[in-house]
Amino acid sequence: MSDSAFHYVDGVLHAEGVSAASLAQQFGTPLYVYSRDALTRTYRAYADACAGRRAVVHVAVKANSNLAVLNVFARMGAGFDIVSSGELARVLAAGGKAENTVFSGVGKSAAEMREALEAGVKCFNVESIPELHALNEVAKSLGKRAPVSLRVNPDVDAKTHPYISTGLKSNKFGVAFSDARATYREAHAMPNLDVVGIDCHIGSQITEISPYLDALDKLLDLVEQIESDGMSIRHVDVGGGLGITYDDETPPDIGDFVRALLAHIEKRGHGQREVYFEPGRSLVGNAGVLLTRVEYLKPGEEKSFAIVDAAMNDLARPAMYEAFHRIVPVVKRDAPAHTYDVVGPVCESGDWLGRDRDLAVEPGDLLAICSAGAYGFVMSSNYNTRPRAAEVMVDGERARLVRQREDVRQLFAGESILPD
Ligand code: LLP
């Protein structure tokens, strides 16, 4: 396992000091399990590398928005990166502060802008000219000035999966690099906007530092032009995107990554600016696993299947991106392994969690799907009218239920049948 928060003790998988088998027994499966210690360590790695610098970590809420997870970060003084007013509500409910929150996203509605302005978010990361106009209008109607940064698309190749690469010209995200300077001038001319920063986000699960340095070079060139046009750029937001080890990837260490970017900014003569980070996956990805129970084994001529009680509605990443998640037994068996596709009960061929996995399992056994802390529960759905999983946070020897398993009745509580 890539993270020592999850480890074996006498052949039984543990989350910190708690056996995963006992968690499954107590809370049922499918079950998301998070380690507070792992969350704390990744956050500290960012925060320590930022210490003494004008650099701020904004946790990307979209990666894992459970209130307990956000609260662990809020207690350590984290800022947050949100993409909806729903996420803003979660941040506030979890003890985070609006004045430490940046609002990203390509399609903010006027209502969302209003809520965020009233709450007092630190900055809007704006992605288009129409959005600038909309924000200016909303700010005017409230008698406020909205702090803005433009998300610039630096057109660099993040060398990651096309679905999660966002910094190329062909993506829907950000203002095209060639339009950015003129767009800044427009923003500057709008009376209810306050230009404060610049930002980019080039993709996700990035395992090299070089695309970030390329993006930074382009951004900093632009900052120099914008300032020569009479605006002042207080902060540079480098986005999120640092990768984790799912299988055999070797992403840079968090501290090395942060230090390399800060050093580059300094070297370019921009050390006076505040630097924002927006990490998601690298904070939470390896701090969580999904526990599932084997329902049936189905041997076949070409393929054998291990049918488990978690499915694509619980963890969508394999179905959506053909993503790899390591799958390990909760209790190791001293028996020969067979090769299985690990699949869920949903009626779709795309409903798989792992392919061609060598496992020694029997029906009733528990498996852990690793690296499920990021984009796991948050992307889950109720497809096939499956209640969403419960979530548990382990802290040393203690485990707390931090989200109840959904009840089927909740799923259609808002629906009604026709009266006649
Ligand atoms: N900032 C912005 C503006 C973003 O769009 C994202 C992620 C982040 C920060 C955080 O990126 P991270 O550090 O987590 O890579 N569902 C996909 C990932 C989508 C990422 C979307 N944007 C997956 O499961 O791989």
Side-chain angles (χ1 to χ4, degrees):
M1 307 228 109
S2 50
D3 200 298
S4 57
F6 299 97
H7 55 268
Y8 285 94
V9 179
D10 297 332
V12 180
L13 183 69
H14 279 59
E16 302 191 26
V18 184
S19 131
S22 70
L23 289 173
Q25 179 77 31
Q26 189 180 349
F27 300 105
T29 53
L31 181 69
Y32 276 96
V33 179
Y34 308 121
S35 154
R36 180 177 186 172
D37 180 55
L39 296 170
T40 304
R41 278 189 286 119
T42 52
Y43 180 79
R44 286 267 166 253
Y46 273 99
D48 289 352
C50 289
R53 307 292 292 263
R54 299 185 59 232
V56 187
V57 183
H58 301 87
V59 175
V61 173
K62 64 166 77 73
N64 188 321
S65 59
N66 182 282
L67 292 194
V69 172
L70 300 183
N71 176 252
V72 166
F73 294 127
R75 284 166 189 255
M76 293 188 283
F80 293 93
D81 166 48
I82 57 165
V83 290
S84 67
S85 56
E87 288 190 350
L88 175 59
R90 283 183 175 275
V91 166
L92 300 177
K97 294 198 173 67
E99 63 262 32
N100 286 340
T101 299
V102 296
F103 194 170
S104 301
V106 69
K108 303 170 195 78
S109 70
E112 288 181 310
M113 291 171 174
R114 196 167 307 118
E115 275 181 50
L117 263 175
E118 280 175 338
V121 299
K122 178 160 66 172
C123 186
F124 289 83
N125 291 340
V126 174
E127 304 213 12
S128 67
I129 292 177
E131 191 193 335
L132 282 175
H133 284 289
L135 184 57
N136 185 54
E137 284 306 310
V138 172
K140 189 170 150 198
S141 72
L142 294 174
K144 288 181 186 268
R145 282 167 73 88
V148 298
S149 137
L150 284 187
R151 174 169 174 179
V152 174
N153 186 336
D155 194 25
V156 298
D157 183 359
K159 302 179 183 127
T160 182
H161 192 289
Y163 282 12
I164 50 177
S165 175
T166 49
L168 281 171
K169 261 191 194 153
S170 50
N171 296 126
K172 72 173 175 183
F173 297 104
V175 175
F177 190 79
S178 51
D179 299 337
R181 188 174 181 180
T183 309
Y184 264 99
R185 284 201 210 108
E186 278 202 48
H188 189 50
M190 294 188 198
N192 291 85
L193 300 185
D194 217 354
V195 171
V196 294
I198 191 164
D199 81 285
C200 71
H201 171 78
I202 57 174
S204 201
Q205 184 54 15
I206 300 169
T207 53
E208 291 171 45
I209 294 181
S210 62
Y212 285 96
L213 302 183
D214 295 345
L216 262 179
D217 278 332
K218 295 187 83 170
L219 235 56
L220 296 178
D221 288 346
L222 196 57
V223 166
E224 288 163 12
Q225 294 172 3
I226 295 163
E227 292 207 326
S228 73
D229 290 342
M231 283 160 266
S232 109
I233 299 295
R234 295 205 293 271
H235 76 256
V236 177
D237 183 337
V238 298
L242 181 64
I244 60 170
T245 303
Y246 285 99
D247 185 11
D248 53 6
E249 306 91 334
T250 51
D253 164 80
I254 291 173
D256 292 344
F257 164 78
V258 169
R259 282 185 289 271
L261 267 57
L262 293 178
H264 194 74
I265 292 169
E266 190 125 327
K267 197 177 87 195
R268 285 278 318 248
H270 289 259
Q272 78 283 13
R273 292 184 215 284
E274 213 173 351
V275 180
Y276 291 1
F277 293 89
E278 297 174 357
R281 188 188 319 265
S282 52
L283 288 170
V284 295
N286 274 325
V289 299
L290 172 60
L291 301 183
T292 183
R293 200 177 284 281
V294 178
E295 301 275 19
Y296 306 104
L297 294 179
K298 195 171 167 188
E301 258 177 43
E302 279 191 20
K303 283 255 175 204
S304 294
F305 296 96
I307 301 169
V308 299
D309 66 0
M312 65 187 288
N313 75 295
D314 299 300
L315 180 68
R317 302 193 71 258
M320 274 185 80
Y321 318 115
E322 303 202 336
F324 177 92
H325 287 259
R326 209 170 286 169
I327 300 179
V328 298
V330 168
V331 181
K332 284 185 182 164
R333 277 183 183 276
D334 196 10
H338 295 283
T339 306
Y340 296 101
D341 276 11
V342 179
V343 300
V346 165
C347 305
E348 299 260 358
S349 301
D351 179 26
W352 59 277
L353 299 164
R355 285 184 170 145
D356 297 324
R357 302 305 174 86
D358 293 335
L359 292 164
V361 278
E362 296 292 341
D365 282 7
L366 292 163
L367 297 173
I369 303 170
C370 303
S371 312
Y375 307 107
F377 184 88
V378 286
M379 288 172 67
S380 64
S381 77
N382 294 119
Y383 189 36
N384 281 203
T385 306
R386 289 171 50 84
R388 280 180 297 171
E391 294 173 285
V392 162
M393 175 88 70
V394 171
D395 183 5
E397 309 288 318
R398 284 179 308 179
R400 285 212 184 78
L401 185 65
V402 293
R403 184 186 169 106
Q404 290 175 3
R405 186 174 302 286
E406 276 177 343
D407 182 285
V408 161
R409 281 177 305 262
Q410 284 174 268
L411 303 193
F412 51 80
E415 299 175 32
S416 51
I417 57 173
L418 296 178
D420 46 26

